[in-house]
Amino acid sequence: MPRTIRNEFDKKLTFENLMKAHILSRKGKGYREEVILFNLKQEEYIMWLYEKLKTGTYKHGGYSVFYVTEPKLRRIEKSRYIDRIVHRFVVDNFLKEYFEKCFIYHTYACIKNRGMHKACLDVQKAMKHCKNKWNEYYILKMDVRKYFDSINKDILFSILKKKITDKKLLWLLDEIIYSNCTKEELEDVNIIRKGLPIGNYTSQLLANIYLNELDQYIKHELKEKYYFRYLDDSIILIKTKNEAKEVLEKIKIFLEKNLQLELNEKTQIFKSKQGINFCGYKINEYRLKIRDRGKQKLKKKIKELKYKIRKGEINSKEAKKYLAGHMGYIHYANIHNLSKKLFEIE
């Protein structure tokens, strides 16, 4: 595969690829009004979208905004359904294929066959190795301050241009990346344009591409072997505290100078015997536990479901379906007794 994307846009812009993007975008959302209306004339809409993209007249629509409170307060920007098809088309046909191959092995977010559970198991394996190698060691845990809101769009676009020379693809990426900018931000070149919409399908992969610059620096310049990242949450296992402090200072300088990012107050250095909170687990060399916050959330959910079972609103089989999102955590964590106690709901 070529190292840069050139003259690929017209080849991959087909009715079939856009229809495939539509089918994947509507998965699990077929009951929504906007999807139902689109399905009624899907061939016509896809052909219209094809012509707009081919002629370079496509314009990204606006956003509807809402907020979620779990796991914390977040502002979600939801784009039009037809724009979400374009997001899927760009990610699946260009960004994933060309950029994911450049990622380091120990980055896990939104990558097939990786994810949270593999991240935790790989970290635990590395902790065991460091325990045997050094006995005592230190953990540098880093978290980027307001990551999605802090991504500099211009820096992101310059990173993309290192690998993309296809002018039509760059035009479309420009349309997506700057789609949530105000009129003032678009017109005034002196304004620093920051922030990716959390609701976009493109945003998590673009966020990964952005921090891949840091990954490469830590792996190839700092030569840190035991480095792991899940989106903006990352850790490094290091032999001594002084070395950890030096590495942290170098990373802070790199982030500020190259990506205009800074680490938040959660960033800290601590002894390995304390274990580490990562991807929803409390990890040490020999145990993988669900964090207290996740445990309380799980208990509350099960209590609600038990109440509904007693009221006859649902049966136990249906109740377990509602817990599907929690089951993965329970499967990997060492909480046999807790699991047995919680799930006696027949």
Side-chain angles (χ1 to χ4, degrees), residues 100-331:
E100 280 191 358
K101 296 180 187 299
C102 302
F103 291 168
I104 64 171
Y105 182 74
H106 289 143
T107 183
Y108 300 88
C110 310
I111 301 175
K112 189 176 180 180
N113 298 324
R114 297 193 197 178
M116 288 184 176
H117 299 134
K118 179 168 174 54
C120 292
L121 293 173
D122 284 355
V123 167
Q124 187 180 51
K125 183 178 178 181
M127 290 174 76
K128 290 178 183 177
H129 181 77
C130 291
K131 178 73 173 176
N132 293 331
K133 184 178 179 181
W134 298 322
N135 189 27
E136 290 187 354
Y137 58 96
Y138 286 81
I139 299 170
L140 167 56
K141 187 175 189 300
M142 299 174 288
D143 198 340
V144 177
R145 186 184 303 279
K146 297 181 179 179
Y147 180 47
F148 278 89
D149 292 335
S150 301
I151 292 174
N152 184 303
K153 295 175 185 287
D154 298 329
I155 294 176
L156 172 62
F157 202 71
S158 67
I159 292 170
L160 294 171
K161 285 170 72 175
K162 292 177 186 177
K163 200 167 184 66
I164 302 171
T165 59
D166 191 311
K167 291 183 178 180
K168 291 185 177 180
L169 179 57
L170 286 173
W171 155 74
L172 184 54
L173 285 168
D174 181 282
E175 191 68 34
I176 294 170
I177 290 170
Y178 294 95
S179 60
N180 65 335
C181 286
T182 64
K183 185 179 179 180
E184 183 184 7
E185 287 174 328
L186 292 172
E187 292 176 352
D188 190 343
V189 294
N190 295 316
I191 295 178
I192 298 175
R193 297 170 289 189
K194 289 188 174 184
L196 292 180
I198 294 179
N200 278 3
Y201 184 68
T202 53
S203 292
Q204 286 189 319
L205 184 51
L206 289 173
N208 256 344
I209 291 170
Y210 200 73
L211 271 187
N212 181 56
E213 301 294 301
L214 175 64
D215 296 344
Q216 301 300 328
Y217 172 71
I218 291 174
K219 282 290 190 180
H220 301 298
E221 296 294 327
L222 301 184
K223 308 289 186 183
E224 292 300 329
K225 182 177 180 181
Y226 307 109
Y227 167 67
F228 306 85
R229 180 173 68 83
Y230 189 92
L231 210 54
D232 62 322
D233 195 4
S234 56
I235 61 173
I236 308 178
L237 310 182
I238 303 178
K239 184 178 181 180
T240 68
K241 189 173 185 178
N242 285 336
E243 182 186 349
K245 287 180 178 179
E246 291 174 7
V247 168
L248 177 57
E249 286 307 309
K250 290 177 181 178
I251 288 172
K252 285 180 178 179
I253 293 169
F254 178 88
L255 285 173
E256 183 180 354
K257 181 180 177 181
N258 295 276
L259 300 175
Q260 291 185 7
L261 297 174
E262 61 179 5
L263 300 174
N264 65 21
E265 63 282 351
K266 295 179 184 177
T267 298
Q268 56 184 317
I269 299 168
F270 45 88
K271 292 182 178 179
S272 58
K273 64 182 181 181
Q274 293 179 236
I276 184 169
N277 291 326
F278 190 60
C279 291
Y281 292 98
K282 178 75 173 181
I283 310 170
N284 64 28
E285 290 90 353
Y286 306 105
R287 291 186 68 85
L288 204 63
K289 293 183 178 181
I290 294 178
R291 294 173 63 183
D292 290 340
R293 186 175 65 183
K295 199 182 297 183
Q296 293 304 317
K297 188 176 177 182
L298 176 59
K299 287 180 178 178
K300 182 179 178 182
K301 185 68 175 178
I302 292 177
K303 186 176 180 181
E304 291 173 358
L305 292 173
K306 285 181 176 180
Y307 176 77
K308 288 186 177 181
I309 290 172
R310 287 195 297 270
K311 294 277 287 184
E313 296 177 12
I314 58 173
N315 58 41
S316 59
K317 187 176 181 181
E318 290 171 332
K320 288 178 180 178
K321 289 182 180 179
Y322 288 102
L323 294 169
H326 299 279
M327 295 301 287
Y329 281 108
I330 293 170
H331 174 73

